[in-house]
Amino acid sequence: MEKKNIDWGELGFSYIQTDWRYVANYVNGVWEEGGLTAEADVVINECAGVLQYSQSCFEGLKAYTTEDGRIVTFRPDLNGQRMEDSCKRLEMPVYPKEKFVEAVIETVRANAAYVPPFGSGATLYIRPCMFASGPVIGVKPADAFQFRVFTTPVGPYFKGGVKPLTIRISDFDRAAPNGTGHIKAGLNYAMSLHAIVDAHNQGYDENMYLDAATHTKVEETGGANFIFVTKDNQVVTPKSGSILPSITRRSLMYVAKEYLGLETQEREISREELTEFAECGLCGTAAVISPVGKIVDHGREICLPSGMTDMGPVTKKLYDTLTGIQMGRLEAPAGWIQEIG
Ligand SMILES: *Cc1c(COP(=O)(O)O)cnc(C)c1O
């Protein structure tokens, strides 16, 4: 198959339209048979539930080329499960996870010419999403929905090398206790836009959100979970009901324990404890792990011993091991790699 004429190394993280997407509609209480279409634009009524009351959720994962030339994705079944969970919390019809995985595979296969070659560092980002297409004016769930999977090629995350991030503790909250922080709802992002624009204006790369009730415990950033490394090499991650369960973070915790023999813990992490850690990283599909060099708590600078030029040693090992599994250099646990072709 002939690849598209794209300068893979120069790609950033922005939408580039590819040839095919998968669409299925929910009408009269059932999911109609879905399929591929070339039509990238969506036409919906002005009163559609997604436009009025933000009834929508999404997922994000990547397809890439392994060292030996196979196109694969990483644990798409977990994205499918998470979208089921999001749909239930948002009163949207569940799109079954098995069909979700099939739709992902079909969409990537159709856009294989856009899957960047091994070694380019670029990947094909996959965006499954669901939104209320039916009209609602009274506040209630819509009665028509669309499930859609589209793709866009994205560039290497660490273009020009790794640069540890400077983040600030935010006074804005991301998620309420018993709210929607644990699901991938579009609305969680709408309300974080002001906080991230403000952080950027103040010279910070990201916001560290604390628990909304007490502002004493670490939660996550707008789109990535935290992992910390203690001075005695334990890998710890915050436990909270309002954190989005990152598939990357869950995979890294497994890798820490089972591949690297490190002690791991998911527990509450207090704001006061931040000065105690040796390393800190943000984990998510986009970067796998992005190292944090500095955390600013209202003028008080907390500098991680790992510094502002490189990943810390444990973060680096975690990064190398997980990307090794993803790229086919290391043997993957059963079921982690989904072959596309
Ligand atoms: C998507 C997302 C993550 C990262 O999850 P991955 O499955 O690792 O990509 C973390 N936090 C939030 C708020 C997210 O929406």
Side-chain angles (χ1 to χ4, degrees):
M1 169 256 331
E2 187 110 359
K3 293 284 177 191
K4 298 282 173 178
N5 186 18
I6 293 175
D7 191 350
W8 309 105
E10 284 311 306
L11 286 173
F13 198 90
S14 51
Y15 175 73
I16 294 171
Q17 195 173 308
T18 57
D19 296 342
W20 298 100
R21 66 276 303 124
Y22 187 96
V23 173
N25 288 303
Y26 183 87
V27 193
N28 296 327
V30 289
W31 283 107
E32 293 181 347
E33 190 62 33
L36 294 173
T37 166
E39 185 53 65
D41 292 334
V42 179
V43 178
I44 47 174
N45 184 262
E46 61 193 356
C47 206
V50 61
L51 298 179
Q52 301 310 320
Y53 303 126
S54 298
Q55 199 182 11
S56 76
C57 61
F58 66 97
E59 276 300 326
L61 66 163
K62 287 170 170 178
Y64 46 90
T65 308
T66 58
E67 208 157 353
D68 57 355
R70 294 168 298 136
I71 294 177
V72 301
T73 63
F74 185 68
R75 310 187 78 180
D77 52 318
L78 297 189
N79 295 93
Q81 179 62 56
R82 198 166 60 185
M83 188 175 243
E84 285 197 8
D85 298 340
S86 297
C87 288
K88 286 176 192 158
R89 178 65 176 77
L90 294 170
E91 291 296 335
M92 300 170 80
V94 161
Y95 194 79
K97 56 179 180 282
E98 298 77 19
K99 295 194 62 151
F100 173 104
V101 172
E102 282 169 24
V104 164
I105 292 172
E106 212 176 309
T107 313
V108 173
R109 218 169 255 159
N111 292 300
Y114 290 94
V115 180
F118 175 78
S120 64
T123 55
L124 186 69
Y125 184 75
I126 308 163
R127 169 55 58 91
C129 57
M130 195 193 295
F131 54 86
S133 51
V136 277
I137 194 77
V139 178
K140 62 173 191 234
D143 57 8
F145 295 84
Q146 183 168 107
F147 169 77
R148 181 173 274 258
V149 182
F150 66 86
T151 61
T152 182
V154 298
Y157 192 85
F158 296 116
K159 222 192 322 192
V162 171
K163 260 225 241 60
L165 307 175
T166 299
I167 65 176
R168 70 162 183 194
I169 292 187
S170 173
D171 290 327
F172 298 105
D173 294 321
R174 190 191 84 88
N178 308 309
T180 56
H182 61 301
I183 57 162
K184 224 167 164 72
L187 56 91
N188 291 342
Y189 280 76
M191 64 88 228
S192 74
L193 296 175
H194 176 62
I196 191 64
V197 168
D198 187 59
H200 289 163
N201 286 341
Q202 315 268 340
Y204 302 104
D205 297 304
E206 263 297 346
N207 287 301
M208 169 184 274
Y209 292 106
L210 302 175
D211 72 296
T214 69
H215 276 212
T216 58
K217 287 169 280 187
V218 175
E219 296 243 300
E220 63 170 319
T221 67
N225 285 181
F226 282 111
I227 52 163
F228 297 94
V229 181
T230 64
K231 289 187 176 137
D232 58 357
N233 281 352
Q234 278 191 37
V235 181
V236 296
T237 191
K239 186 181 179 71
S240 155
S242 47
I243 290 175
L244 194 281
S246 157
I247 294 162
T248 313
R249 184 258 298 165
R250 286 181 271 162
S251 304
L252 285 166
M253 295 300 277
Y254 181 90
V255 160
K257 190 156 184 266
E258 305 297 333
Y259 281 66
L260 303 177
L262 299 170
E263 234 178 278
T264 59
Q265 256 191 331
E266 186 176 349
R267 61 166 168 83
E268 289 189 346
I269 293 175
S270 81
R271 176 183 193 165
E272 293 315 312
E273 213 181 325
L274 288 172
T275 52
E276 306 290 316
F277 294 118
E279 300 174 37
C280 170
L282 302 183
C283 14
T285 293
V288 180
I289 316 183
S290 221
V292 173
K294 194 192 285 184
I295 303 165
V296 181
D297 184 355
H298 301 84
R300 183 171 67 125
E301 294 199 344
I302 302 165
C303 297
L304 277 297
S306 49
M308 292 304 291
T309 51
D310 256 316
M311 282 191 188
V314 175
T315 305
K316 177 93 170 79
K317 252 190 243 169
L318 285 168
Y319 179 84
D320 287 344
T321 310
L322 188 58
T323 52
I325 290 170
Q326 292 177 329
M327 290 301 164
R329 255 184 294 116
L330 296 172
E331 196 178 332
W336 278 27
I337 303 297
Q338 172 71 55
E339 303 276 340
I340 305 276

